């Protein structure tokens, strides 16, 4: 399940959103002050990387983990 860490640029409140879908602009609302000026960080439940990017020199096409 995607987890998003968000920070309100208006009041500085940090909060997490747990969604069963990708984050939309309508989701970016601070629960403290109602501002829509919210910045997104990287959450722990789901991290996406651009196609073709590498991590520690390993091709994104190489499976990581799993069963052997």
């Amino acid at each position: 399940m995607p987890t998003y860490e968000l920070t309100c640029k208006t009041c500085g409140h940090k909060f997490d959103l747990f969604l069963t879908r990708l984050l939309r602009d309508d989701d970016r609302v601070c629960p403290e002050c109602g501002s829509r000026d919210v910045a997104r960080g990287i959450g722990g439940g789901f991290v996406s990387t651009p196609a073709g990017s590498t991590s520690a020199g390993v091709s994104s096409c190489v499976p990581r983990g799993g069963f052997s």
Side-chain angles (χ1 to χ4, degrees):
M1 175 181 302
T3 303
Y4 300 96
E5 293 176 358
L6 303 169
T7 303
C8 179
K9 293 181 180 180
T10 302
C11 71
H13 179 68
K14 293 183 180 186
F15 58 101
D16 293 329
L17 271 181
F18 304 100
L19 301 171
T20 57
R21 58 178 166 72
L22 296 177
L23 184 69
R24 298 178 185 157
D25 287 338
D26 290 343
D27 300 321
R28 297 176 188 234
V29 178
C30 176
E32 291 293 314
C33 71
S35 173
R36 291 193 168 272
D37 193 11
V38 175
R40 185 176 117 186
I42 298 175
F46 178 81
V47 177
S48 68
T49 56
S53 68
T54 61
S55 175
V58 178
S59 170
S60 62
C61 295
V62 176
R64 295 181 202 120
F67 301 99
S68 44

